Amino acid sequence: MQKLSVRHLLGIKGLTENDIQLIFETADNFKSVINRPIKKVPSLRDITVANLFFENSTRTKLSFELAEKRLSADIINFAASSSSVSKGETLIDTVNNILAMKVDMVVMRHPYPGAAVFLSKHIQAQIINAGDGAHEHPTQALLDAYSIREKLGDVRGKKVVIVGDILHSRVALSNILCLQLLGAEVMVCGPTTLIPKYIHTLGVKVEHDLQKALNWCDVANMLRIQLERQDIRYFPSLREYSMMYGLNKEILDSLDKKIVVMHPGPINRGVEITSDVADSRQSIILDQVENGVAIRMAVLYLLAGGQN
Ligand code: CP
């Protein structure tokens, strides 16, 4: 059986193109499994997975839980808001207490960049990063690239623009690294204040005019403005942001080609994207969510060693 080159999934950084292709091929198989009347396989029987969410989540948490259940894993769930973290317990103490219960794998979302890497150096269990601050969100990037491959046949040679709050986005960095590994061209678009200064070191194009960016691309990935991570004002108002960088039907219909529209969620309808675009036939937002389960099944299965 083919194996990943990594023991943990801490980020797209560290993966090879072969790893990603292997994840996609494995996800193809699991996608057909979850469309069968009997959606469960015994691949992770006797494996215990802890889902540790130190930050809120809807899609990622539910998607990992469902993926684990479809693979017959035993699951324990932890939400920081209802735990002893509020009494001052450290990350290492919290995780070591959970691992004392004989956990094999940890899926962790944490507000601090590097939290998953830190944990991987201190505990024996395998770690999957479900988003660490503004750093990486590898399974989101994998499901995004997988959805592009499904919609357009291949990722190689495709032009993808990521629009919005690049500065505070873990989705942006993971998407850039993943898409480039797979041979796509990547552009970022947004106000200067929301584009990090180091962006050129990543080899992406930068465009501040949304219309020009959309004319260039095959795929537009619209990001949410992450107000919860913004310590200062980066633009005058949401209304102004929406006028400059919001994707609406009028702009979409003015393009001379039918681009694919993506969004990692949660959506702020009427800010970065209008409802008629989010719900249009050009949007693959719900395909992304559906593919998230197959991608996470593939990651869990491959990291666990692929045993049946
Ligand atoms: N896309 C994403 O990570 O969504 P959640 O924050 O709801 O998990």
Side-chain angles (χ1 to χ4, degrees):
M1 179 204 156
Q2 285 182 282
K3 286 190 183 296
L4 295 177
S5 67
V6 290
R7 182 166 182 268
H8 309 278
L9 180 62
L10 303 174
I12 297 296
K13 193 169 179 200
L15 292 184
T16 63
E17 186 187 349
N18 280 347
D19 288 329
I20 297 177
Q21 297 296 1
L22 177 59
I23 292 168
F24 285 3
E25 285 158 23
T26 310
D28 287 341
N29 291 330
F30 284 130
K31 197 161 172 181
S32 52
V33 167
I34 56 185
N35 282 307
R36 292 191 319 216
I38 296 169
K39 300 174 172 60
K40 224 167 160 161
V41 288
S43 311
L44 258 59
R45 204 172 46 203
D46 300 328
I47 300 273
T48 305
V49 186
N51 298 309
L52 311 186
F53 279 72
F54 293 84
E55 192 188 86
N56 292 345
S57 167
T58 298
R59 277 145 294 272
T60 312
K61 186 169 182 295
L62 293 178
S63 180
F64 267 113
E65 266 187 61
L66 195 55
E68 291 150 9
K69 285 179 176 159
R70 298 277 189 251
L71 292 168
S72 307
D74 293 320
I75 305 172
I76 52 173
N77 289 317
F78 166 92
S81 53
S82 57
S83 75
S84 292
V85 168
S86 59
K87 299 174 196 162
E89 193 165 38
T90 65
L91 174 60
I92 289 287
D93 281 341
T94 301
V95 175
N96 273 331
N97 275 274
I98 291 165
L99 293 183
M101 302 174 207
K102 306 289 176 236
V103 165
D104 303 293
M105 302 177 91
V106 171
V107 173
M108 186 174 75
R109 169 166 291 189
H110 201 281
Y112 293 129
V117 174
F118 173 76
L119 204 60
S120 71
K121 293 187 193 311
H122 290 89
I123 66 169
Q124 281 304 310
Q126 289 173 288
I127 314 292
I128 300 175
N129 180 5
D132 60 330
H135 180 223
E136 280 230 39
H137 191 352
T139 56
Q140 180 69 46
L142 290 166
L143 74 88
D144 288 344
Y146 183 82
S147 301
I148 293 172
R149 168 186 178 263
E150 183 179 70
K151 183 73 181 175
L152 299 179
D154 199 353
V155 177
R156 185 162 295 280
K158 300 298 178 296
K159 294 176 176 170
V160 182
V161 64
I162 304 170
V163 182
D165 187 355
I166 313 297
L167 185 66
H168 300 99
S169 173
R170 52 192 171 216
V171 174
L173 179 60
S174 289
N175 260 263
I176 290 167
L177 299 175
C178 185
L179 291 166
Q180 287 179 334
L181 263 182
L182 295 173
E185 272 187 87
V186 186
M187 173 187 279
V188 294
C189 175
T192 312
T193 50
L194 290 177
I195 307 279
K197 290 196 173 37
Y198 63 79
I199 198 76
H200 296 284
T201 65
L202 297 175
V204 300
K205 295 177 192 301
V206 179
E207 175 59 67
H208 298 293
D209 183 321
L210 179 64
Q211 186 82 42
K212 284 186 186 162
L214 295 174
N215 279 327
W216 172 85
C217 75
D218 302 304
V219 179
N221 195 352
M222 307 303 297
L223 301 184
R224 179 175 69 90
I225 293 292
Q226 305 211 14
L227 291 173
E228 74 277 18
R229 292 194 209 285
Q230 297 187 7
D231 43 0
I232 56 166
R233 286 174 78 103
Y234 289 86
F235 47 85
S237 68
L238 280 179
R239 188 164 171 273
E240 182 159 323
Y241 177 84
S242 174
M243 283 168 64
M244 299 286 289
Y245 294 103
L247 181 55
N248 59 43
K249 200 79 172 62
E250 192 184 339
I251 302 173
L252 198 62
D253 290 345
S254 74
L255 306 174
D256 59 11
K257 57 184 169 184
K258 291 250 183 263
I259 64 165
V260 176
V261 177
M262 304 177 71
H263 195 304
I267 300 174
N268 284 148
R269 288 175 182 257
V271 180
E272 68 272 6
I273 191 168
T274 54
S275 282
D276 51 4
V277 175
D279 303 331
S280 73
R281 294 170 68 87
Q282 282 169 257
S283 158
I284 60 165
I285 294 171
L286 292 179
D287 299 312
Q288 292 171 257
V289 177
E290 181 184 339
N291 288 333
V293 179
I295 282 290
R296 288 173 176 125
M297 285 174 81
V299 167
L300 287 156
Y301 172 81
L302 290 165
L303 287 179
Q307 61 264 48
N308 284 301

